[in-house]
């Protein structure tokens, strides 16, 4: 056993954290995640740093908000000089590996990972760049639309199922390879990140999982659709960005979408169970820290909204579980952030962050697992499609405060109003609290500079992308290297040595 723990990070995509009030909700058919939750510190109020894939993931990996990473949207480059948890762990001697999605944009497709086992499910170039110069413009070929809802149902294979089947296969294969070195006294500890694309829309699931939810009581949203003219300013923008006027969403569409979404959580649970079984069967479980999380959530039709891109709970709140030696199991209600994962992993591995601490927005979660309380607020940012200027949010105590320079501010008491149906920002009884939050926003963010930086980034990319697509095209998408001549049996190998080395456990 090494002195530092192995680390297995299991990441999923677009998993609504309200479905994990204390581990998976009772109605979810997730035996493996429920078992893991019982062994874990369960962070009941964890929030993404930004409710969109690339910005949320860059922040998750770096512990920095998008205003620092400059990953504002799904086509913004993640700079190679920003340290990630993969860099920190690798610098400390860890082997770092990724199987699956991380939505890196730009020519650096590793960001500290020593090895990547699959390509990404999404493109790595600047093609999905929004344009604040044209507010309200839909870029039809890549913007979300509600076809995911009207087309919800079943299939035995899809683009995303093919991807996640591959992600799980390579992760299991890698765990078996790592197990073979457990008896080597000089082996390096490892950090394997396994990142799936489900339950992200489209809402299409395999029949065997879909049928589990035929009689599910959760197929109806808890908050009915709010008429367009009664929605808040940002939700109106999301309605238009998602092209809602060209879709007639029926109650049956809503139920089938939610049913397929729940089904894909069960699909993931099946994959995760197989991965955890390998840890157990190879004897590596006791030496391994397991982290389970998502990049952001999904509104799932609540208040008529779908997908993410919002600071409402369904979109911004995510599950976070952590299990292993030194992490007491139990529920933790303090608001926390995906920004906190990097400092927590480094804390568990005994790695000091002194070199970059002034530019790190997260903080270690280990004190919370030992009964301490969090003193600092949770911060969020959003500056991508469906926005016309950056939005920021603060979750502190029972309250969530949302601010955009274009809109009236929002203040919600999540203890008394968990569905965020009553904006208290203009309520005289909450005037002091609203003013305090407004002061915190002003102190933390220079929103004019933030807006200017986003616009500059977008404008640059609107020049670079068409230039690079004109003439010879060199894609940045990660191309997995398969050294077939170094696998299985080849004539430069001794068969007897090979078979003994690749058998694990040996001699049984």
């Amino acid at each position: 056993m090494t002195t530092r723990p192995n680390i297995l990070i299991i990441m999923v995509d677009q998993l609504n954290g309200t479905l994990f009030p204390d581990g998976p909700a009772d109605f979810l058919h997730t035996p493996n995640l429920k078992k893991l939750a019982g062994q874990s510190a369960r962070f009941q109020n964890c929030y993404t740093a930004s409710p969109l894939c690339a910005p949320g993931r860059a922040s998750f990996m770096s512990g920095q908000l998008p205003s620092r990473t400059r990953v504002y949207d799904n086509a913004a480059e993640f700079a190679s000089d920003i340290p990630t948890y993969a860099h920190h762990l690798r610098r400390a001697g860890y082997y770092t590996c990724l199987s699956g999605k991380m939505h890196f944009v730009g020519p650096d497709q590793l960001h500290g990972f020593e090895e990547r086992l699959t390509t990404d499910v999404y493109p790595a170039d600047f093609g999905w760049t929004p344009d604040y110069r044209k507010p309200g413009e839909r870029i039809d070929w890549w913007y979300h639309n509600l076809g995911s809802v009207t087309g919800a149902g079943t299939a035995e294979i899809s683009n995303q199922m093919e991807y996640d089947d591959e992600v799980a296969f390579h992760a299991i294969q890698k765990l078996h390879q790592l197990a073979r070195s457990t008896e080597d006294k000089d082996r390096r500890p490892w950090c394997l990140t396994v990142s799936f694309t489900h339950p992200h829309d489209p809402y299409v699931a395999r029949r065997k999982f879909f049928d589990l939810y035929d009689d599910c009581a959760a197929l109806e949203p808890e908050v009915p659709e709010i008429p367009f003219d009664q929605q808040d300013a940002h939700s109106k923008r999301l309605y238009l960005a998602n092209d809602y006027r060209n879709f007639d969403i029926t109650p049956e569409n809503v139920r089938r979408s939610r049913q397929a979404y729940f089904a894909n959580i069960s699909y993931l649970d099946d994959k995760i169970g197989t991965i955890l079984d390998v840890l157990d069967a190879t004897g590596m479980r006791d030496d391994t820290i397991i982290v389970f999380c998502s990049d952001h959530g999904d509104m799932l039709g609540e208040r008529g909204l779908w997908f993410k891109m919002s600071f409402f709970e369904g979109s911004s709140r995510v599950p976070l579980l952590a299990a292993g030696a030194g992490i007491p199991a139990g529920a933790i209600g303090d608001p926390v952030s995906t920004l906190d994962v990097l400092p927590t992993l480094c804390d568990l591995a005994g790695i000091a962050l002194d070199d970059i601490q002034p530019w790190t927005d997260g903080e270690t979660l280990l004190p919370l697992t030992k009964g301490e309380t969090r003193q600092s607020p949770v911060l969020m940012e959003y500056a991508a499609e469906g926005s016309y200027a950056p939005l920021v949010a603060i979750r502190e105590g029972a309250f969530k405060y949302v601010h955009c320079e274009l809109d009236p501010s929002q203040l919600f008491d999540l203890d008394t109003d968990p569905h965020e149906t009553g904006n208290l920002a203009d309520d005289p009884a909450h005037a002091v609290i609203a003013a305090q939050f407004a002061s915190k926003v002003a102190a933390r963010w220079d929103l004019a500079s933030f807006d200017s930086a986003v616009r500059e980034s977008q404008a640059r990319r609107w020049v670079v992308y068409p230039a690079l697509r004109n003439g010879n095209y060199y894609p940045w998408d990660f191309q997995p290297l398969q050294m077939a001549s170094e696998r299985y049996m080849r004539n430069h190998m001794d068969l007897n040595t090979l078979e003994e080395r690749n058998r694990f456990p040996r001699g049984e």
Side-chain angles (χ1 to χ4, degrees):
M1 175 179 174
T2 60
T3 56
R4 286 174 165 160
N6 301 316
I7 300 169
L8 173 64
I9 300 169
I10 301 174
M11 193 172 201
V12 297
D13 196 334
Q14 206 160 295
L15 182 52
N16 182 320
T18 70
L19 301 177
F20 280 64
D22 188 18
D26 290 342
F27 74 85
L28 289 172
H29 295 269
T30 53
N32 297 298
L33 282 171
K34 287 177 178 176
K35 182 178 179 182
L36 177 63
Q39 302 162 346
S40 299
R42 304 180 295 279
F43 298 92
Q44 298 169 294
N45 292 289
C46 182
Y47 292 86
T48 181
S50 188
L52 194 68
C53 293
R57 288 164 180 270
S59 291
F60 161 76
M61 286 208 66
S62 67
Q64 299 182 15
L65 286 161
S67 55
R68 291 193 200 271
T69 67
R70 304 183 304 282
V71 183
Y72 307 120
D73 55 64
N74 275 342
E77 181 176 0
F78 190 14
S80 61
D81 65 344
I82 297 176
T84 68
Y85 67 75
H87 286 111
H88 291 293
L89 292 169
R90 187 172 172 183
R91 183 186 183 201
Y94 274 74
Y95 163 75
T96 56
C97 180
L98 170 64
S99 180
K101 173 182 177 178
M102 205 50 77
H103 206 157
F104 295 142
V105 174
D108 184 353
Q109 288 295 302
L110 291 174
H111 289 282
F113 288 114
E114 189 170 339
E115 188 175 12
R116 272 189 89 170
L117 307 178
T118 72
T119 190
D120 212 297
V121 72
Y122 283 159
D125 60 25
F126 296 158
W128 289 1
T129 302
D131 195 344
Y132 274 7
R133 298 169 297 186
K134 301 174 182 178
E137 178 189 58
R138 284 198 82 258
I139 307 174
D140 288 336
W141 73 272
W142 66 267
Y143 264 35
H144 261 85
N145 64 49
L146 297 179
S148 289
V149 179
T150 58
T154 62
E156 290 310 302
I157 194 64
S158 68
N159 190 47
Q160 292 186 183
M161 289 180 214
E162 181 176 350
Y163 186 78
D164 278 351
D165 287 351
E166 180 181 0
V167 168
F169 170 81
H170 283 289
I172 291 165
Q173 186 179 59
K174 178 55 63 175
L175 285 173
H176 281 132
Q177 291 172 1
L178 292 168
R180 292 175 176 132
S181 68
T182 54
E183 297 170 357
D184 182 352
K185 64 180 177 62
D186 297 321
R187 76 172 181 89
R188 297 158 65 195
W190 51 261
C191 175
L192 173 63
T193 301
V194 185
S195 186
F196 296 103
T197 190
H198 283 92
H200 192 292
D201 65 288
Y203 305 114
V204 175
R206 287 184 176 144
R207 172 65 70 181
K208 70 175 183 177
F209 299 112
F210 192 85
D211 288 350
L212 293 173
Y213 296 93
D214 280 345
D215 301 316
C216 178
L219 298 183
E220 303 286 346
E222 294 184 272
V223 182
E225 182 174 358
I226 297 172
F228 178 83
D229 60 358
Q230 297 176 31
Q231 293 273 9
D232 64 275
H234 183 59
S235 295
K236 287 179 180 177
R237 291 191 290 265
L238 294 181
Y239 261 57
L240 298 175
N242 292 334
D243 202 22
Y244 89 106
R245 286 176 174 156
N246 287 319
F247 292 86
D248 180 19
I249 304 299
T250 67
E252 182 61 15
N253 293 150
V254 173
R255 286 191 293 270
R256 287 179 66 81
S257 295
R258 290 171 67 95
Q259 184 168 353
Y261 182 89
F262 300 153
N264 280 327
I265 298 173
S266 294
Y267 162 84
L268 288 171
D269 185 80
D270 188 63
K271 302 287 186 195
I272 291 166
T274 305
I275 290 168
L276 296 181
D277 284 348
V278 173
L279 272 188
D280 287 329
T282 55
M284 294 192 292
R285 182 69 171 263
D286 291 344
D287 296 345
T288 302
I289 301 293
I290 301 169
V291 175
F292 172 80
C293 60
S294 181
D295 56 352
H296 53 75
D298 189 321
M299 289 302 293
L300 291 177
E302 300 289 343
R303 45 196 322 131
L305 295 174
W306 292 91
F307 320 128
K308 55 273 190 175
M309 303 174 282
S310 164
F311 290 135
F312 285 122
E313 289 287 277
S315 167
S316 65
R317 193 167 132 203
V318 296
L320 178 61
L321 307 174
I327 305 176
I332 298 167
D334 299 53
V336 301
S337 172
T338 54
L339 294 164
D340 301 328
V341 171
L342 177 146
T344 304
L345 294 178
C346 290
D347 198 356
L348 287 163
I351 299 169
L353 292 178
D354 298 348
D355 292 344
I356 62 155
Q357 193 64 56
W359 309 282
T360 301
D361 296 305
E363 57 188 68
T364 178
L365 298 172
L366 290 192
L368 297 185
T369 69
K370 296 172 173 60
E372 297 184 26
T373 57
R374 187 187 185 103
Q375 303 301 317
S376 56
V378 168
L379 308 179
M380 294 180 274
E381 299 175 345
Y382 184 74
E385 63 260 31
S387 70
Y388 301 170
L391 294 90
V392 298
I394 300 175
R395 171 72 205 272
E396 186 171 21
F399 292 97
K400 182 193 293 179
Y401 185 79
V402 179
H403 179 80
C404 177
E405 294 289 90
L406 304 179
D407 307 332
S409 295
Q410 296 172 288
L411 176 67
F412 301 106
D413 183 338
L414 296 176
D415 282 352
T416 61
D417 180 23
H419 298 305
E420 301 167 289
T421 57
N423 181 8
L424 303 174
D426 294 325
D427 177 11
H430 290 82
V432 172
I433 293 173
Q436 290 172 343
F437 274 110
S439 295
K440 290 177 182 179
V441 167
R444 177 59 182 79
W445 286 282
D446 179 345
L447 287 170
S449 295
F450 192 177
D451 182 88
S452 178
V454 173
R455 291 173 184 273
E456 180 184 348
S457 172
Q458 291 176 355
R460 289 198 307 260
R461 287 179 278 144
W462 276 103
V463 173
V464 171
Y465 177 67
L468 294 184
R469 293 306 300 258
N470 192 13
N472 291 335
Y473 176 58
Y474 184 82
W476 292 333
D477 307 295
F478 184 71
Q479 311 291 337
L481 179 63
Q482 296 284 337
M483 294 293 290
S485 61
E486 294 299 323
R487 300 183 65 200
Y488 306 118
M489 177 59 206
R490 300 294 183 261
N491 279 331
H492 64 285
M493 304 172 185
D494 183 310
L495 179 60
N496 298 299
T497 304
L498 173 79
E499 296 293 2
E500 178 62 20
R501 185 182 69 235
N502 286 354
R503 174 180 173 174
F504 184 85
R506 298 184 178 92
E508 291 190 2

